[in-house]
């Protein structure tokens, strides 16, 4: 009897830009997982339950991007403590025990920062209040900081972030500093670590920050790259990390969860470098 091929995929909307297939397929090749297949599927929040219910036994996992990270919790049979705390999951592991939801964005952020030399986050600032910002809080907790500054546009819309912080045992100071770039710039200049979870263009007014060369800046945007704040920080001598590093390391963690094998970091990095060099992501 032939064993059915193993399958996995990335879901989201829009999904055509996703680099997850590049990373996971490179991992399967490096691990010698013949017959494993990884695809991309357009799927919105309303369609996720139907998609998951229709999967056969050959499916081992799903990578979930926007706008599915919160609704993923509702379709899971079990949810990790970390995904529960952050209020979002970017991974569904599928197996005989059902659907298990995990958040590997946290591992991605931690690994990307550690790779750039960060061991302790110290004074930290997070820009934004969405799901990635909640993952950033959890990453900073792992790096020893429980009271970061969080800069948003409207503190009244940061309820989910505050709830996540409470579940994580953290006490961030949330300020509407993104409406006042000059005010924000002072805090950014004094920070040891800055994590921007803002969409492309939203952090551009902060490019004039008088960056300190001792600051590490992680900008989750990777296209267009460098962003104006990242370029300014690099020119000032800061260690600057693009969203590609986070993307790589969260995928490494997903590969291990879905295959049971350690993710082949360098093979995945090489594949990512090759595709982004040949055709910069949109």
């Amino acid at each position: 009897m032939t064993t059915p091929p193993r399958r996995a995929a990335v879901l989201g909307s829009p999904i055509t830009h996703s680099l997850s297939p590049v990373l996971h397929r490179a991992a399967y090749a490096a691990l010698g997982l013949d017959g494993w297949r990884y695809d991309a599927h357009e799927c919105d929040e309303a369609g996720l339950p139907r998609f998951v219910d229709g999967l056969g036994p050959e499916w081992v996992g799903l990578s979930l991007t926007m706008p599915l990270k919160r609704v993923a919790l509702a379709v899971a049979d079990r949810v990790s403590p970390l995904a529960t705390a952050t209020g979002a999951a970017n991974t569904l592991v599928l197996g005989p025990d059902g659907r298990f939801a995990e958040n590997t964005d946290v591992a991605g952020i931690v690994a990307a920062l550690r790779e750039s030399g960060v061991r302790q986050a110290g004074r930290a600032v997070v820009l934004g209040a969405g799901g990635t910002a909640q993952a950033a809080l959890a990453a900073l907790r792992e790096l020893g900081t429980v009271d970061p500054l969080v800069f948003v546009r409207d503190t009244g819309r940061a309820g989910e972030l505050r709830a996540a912080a409470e579940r994580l045992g953290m006490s961030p100071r949330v300020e509407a500093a993104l409406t006042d770039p000059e005010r924000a710039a002072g805090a950014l200049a004094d920070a040891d670590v800055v994590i921007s979870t803002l969409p492309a263009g939203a952090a551009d007014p902060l490019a004039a920050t008088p960056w300190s060369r001792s600051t590490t800046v992680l900008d989750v945007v990777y296209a267009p790259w460098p962003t104006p704040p990242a370029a300014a920080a690099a020119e000032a001598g800061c260690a600057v990390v693009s969203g590609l590093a986070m993307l790589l390391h969260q995928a490494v963690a997903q590969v291990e969860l879905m295959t049971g094998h350690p993710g082949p970091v360098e093979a995945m990095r090489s594949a990512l470098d090759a595709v982004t060099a040949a055709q910069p992501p949109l």
Side-chain angles (χ1 to χ4, degrees):
M1 183 175 179
T2 303
T3 302
R6 308 309 256 166
R7 296 191 62 185
V10 59
L11 274 58
S13 184
I15 201 61
T16 54
H17 68 287
S18 177
L19 294 173
S20 291
V22 171
L23 289 162
H24 286 257
R25 290 168 185 168
Y28 297 167
L31 293 170
L33 297 176
D34 298 331
W36 285 58
R37 175 176 160 189
Y38 189 99
D39 301 303
H41 295 276
E42 186 80 13
C43 183
D44 60 15
E45 292 171 289
L48 183 61
R50 183 172 63 255
F51 187 97
V52 174
D53 287 343
L55 300 179
E58 72 275 18
W59 284 82
V60 297
L62 298 173
S63 307
L64 303 170
T65 186
M66 295 301 293
L68 304 177
K69 293 185 179 183
R70 289 196 172 101
V71 71
L73 303 180
V75 302
D77 300 308
R78 295 177 296 121
V79 180
S80 77
L82 185 58
T84 297
T86 58
N90 71 329
T91 310
L92 273 180
V93 182
L94 309 173
D97 296 330
R99 309 163 185 166
F100 174 64
E102 182 58 281
N103 188 321
T104 69
D105 283 336
V106 177
I109 293 171
V110 171
L113 287 173
R114 283 182 171 157
E115 195 171 61
S116 70
V118 174
R119 294 295 172 264
Q120 294 288 323
R123 294 167 298 181
V125 180
V126 176
L127 306 180
T132 306
Q134 291 162 213
L137 288 184
L140 289 172
R141 183 186 66 168
E142 189 165 330
L143 291 167
T145 295
V146 297
D147 57 351
L149 283 169
V150 179
F151 289 165
V152 299
R153 290 197 174 278
D154 181 358
T155 56
R157 300 180 65 182
E160 291 185 346
L161 180 134
R162 293 182 192 275
E166 185 173 352
R167 292 190 296 267
L168 289 163
M170 300 180 69
S171 53
R173 193 164 84 240
V174 183
E175 299 182 5
L178 293 181
T179 59
D180 185 351
E182 290 187 10
R183 175 183 166 200
L188 296 180
D190 291 335
D192 297 305
V193 172
V194 174
I195 303 175
S196 175
T197 69
L198 299 172
D204 288 1
L206 300 174
T209 294
W211 297 101
S212 165
R213 63 183 301 111
S214 62
T215 302
T216 298
V217 178
L218 189 161
D219 193 331
V220 301
V221 172
Y222 54 79
W225 185 262
T227 63
E235 187 174 351
C238 300
V240 176
V241 185
S242 89
L244 286 174
M246 174 188 168
L247 181 71
L248 166 66
H249 288 291
Q250 64 80 30
V252 168
Q254 286 183 335
V255 167
E256 182 162 359
L257 286 169
M258 295 179 191
T259 71
H261 300 284
V265 178
E266 294 311 318
M268 295 169 73
R269 191 195 311 274
S270 294
L272 187 61
D273 288 346
V275 74
T276 53
Q279 183 177 354
L282 302 176

